[in-house]
Each structure stands twice: as C-alpha cells, then as structure tokens.
Amino acid sequence: MYRNGILAVIFCLSSGVTFAQAAAGDPWAGKASLGYLSTSGNTDTTSYNTKFEISYASNKWKHTFNAAANGALESDTTTAEAYQAGWKSAYDIAEHSYLFGQVKWRKDRFAGVQEQLSEAVGYGRRIIDTPVHLLSAEIGAGYTTFDFADMTSESSVILTLGIDYKWTFSETSNFEQNIDVESASENTYIESVSAVRARLLGDLAIVLSYTVKHNTDVPVGREKTDKLSALSLEYAF
C-alpha cells in the first residue's frame, strides 16, 4: 500500500512536464564517464567504473536519469561488482525550494544486500546558490525492498537524507561532494562521493573521485564499508 502511493506521487511528478513547452535554449544536458585500470606482474588486477546521467529541465520541472557500474578483478577472480540506476523528478515550489520524487535500484554482489529497490518523495532546499558555491539539502520518506544474499527478502519504510555541494574554483575546475542516506528498520545505507573535475579540452574532462559505501547491518563475513578510488574521463553533452 505504501509503495503504490509513493509510485503514484512520483508518476504525477514525472507526467507534469510538457516537453513541447521547453524553455528557450536546449533543455537537455548529460554526461558520461569511463575509468579503467589494469596492472600485471606478481598480481594481475583490473578495475573499471562507468557513469551516465541525462537530465531534462522545463519551466519549474527537472527530470534526471542516472546509472553507474563498477567492478574489479584480481588474478581472474572478481572482487567487486556493483550496479545502480535512478530516476528523479523535481518541481520548484519557490525560488529556493522544491518537491521531489525518486526511484533508486542497486545491486552489489559483495555487500550482502543482493538487490535493493527504493521509492521516496520529499522536500529539498537550495541553501546556497551562487556561481561559485552550490549547496542543497533534501529530506524524504518512502519504501524499500531488500533481497539478501541468503535468498531472503525484507520490506521497510525508509527515511532519506541528501546533501549536494559544488565549488567552482576556476573556469575549468570544480569540486563536488554528494552524500545520500537511506535509513530503514534493519539497515542504514550511506553513500559519499567526493570528486574533483578538470576540463581538458572542450567538453572532455578528467575526474578524480573517491566513493564510500556503508551498510550498518551486513551478513557475517562481509565488510560494512566499501571504498572506491577512480580516475575517469568524462564527456559532457
């Protein structure tokens, strides 16, 4: 019942945009990145990470889809493998405030939580909005379903929190910090992504990022925290 209500609100948010009424200029924006590292010698290791995001903004609406994947192999043995995707619709209700609805899907082979699907609606506010500094915070509530590695499943109401910060410290470089929290009755998931981006040529940039993923409750023998350092090429379009 909770899930059906949340999905209905998200559908209403998503369907509120009329694409024919796009504001002047291109309402579409997107970026894609790819990072790859391979070493050989005493130990053969390979790691990869890729991200994709596309958004559409029209009047007071903004819709964003994103997806990401990362993995690692050591001596032909997979040591990390994770995927995620999400959709978010936001509607401005005031100059610095907005409502949002979002759906997130995650799959992490080594986190104990085999698969997770979450839906939430909430309120966000742009606390700082200048050409140099951008800071926004969000709070919401929703519903999530976990599929665990031991083939059991669980559903729960969740509280979501989000913080996004961007510091543009030169014409070609910026720093971003994103923190997302989903707190359920049995587990709290925290993801922090720190990234420094420097434009190389035109729409091509190099990105150095550090990601921390933490689950408060994991099966015996699993680590609660995963960390990923990545150097990627990013193309904006």
Side-chain angles (χ1 to χ4, degrees), residues 74-97:
E74 184 171 342
S75 300
D76 296 326
T77 300
T78 301
T79 57
E81 184 179 356
Y83 309 92
Q84 62 186 59
W87 173 273
K88 182 177 182 179
S89 292
Y91 178 77
D92 287 343
I93 57 175
E95 183 179 0
H96 299 291
S97 301

Side-chain angles (χ1 to χ4, degrees), residues 85-197:
W87 173 273
K88 182 177 182 179
S89 292
Y91 178 77
D92 287 343
I93 57 175
E95 183 179 0
H96 299 291
S97 301
Y98 57 93
L99 301 177
F100 70 87
Q102 65 183 21
V103 178
K104 292 183 178 181
W105 172 85
R106 299 188 185 94
K107 182 178 179 66
D108 193 331
R109 180 177 169 186
F110 293 90
V113 179
Q114 186 74 6
E115 193 170 6
Q116 180 182 4
L117 179 64
S118 303
E119 304 99 13
V121 293
Y123 168 81
R125 183 169 179 83
R126 290 179 286 272
I127 301 170
I128 302 175
D129 190 357
T130 71
V132 177
H133 297 284
L134 296 173
L135 175 63
S136 62
E138 297 178 347
I139 185 169
Y143 199 75
T144 189
T145 299
F146 299 92
D147 291 328
F148 296 99
D150 60 3
M151 306 304 292
T152 61
S153 298
E154 183 177 301
S155 299
S156 175
V157 174
I158 57 171
L159 173 68
T160 67
L161 299 171
I163 296 176
D164 294 325
Y165 172 68
K166 181 178 181 180
W167 172 30
T168 303
F169 52 84
S170 77
E171 293 184 358
T172 59
S173 305
N174 63 63
F175 167 78
E176 293 185 4
Q177 176 65 57
N178 308 111
I179 300 175
D180 288 310
V181 180
E182 289 186 3
S183 182
S185 58
E186 297 296 329
N187 180 62
T188 295
Y189 174 79
I190 304 171
E191 180 175 310
S192 170
V193 182
S194 308
V196 177
R197 181 178 290 98

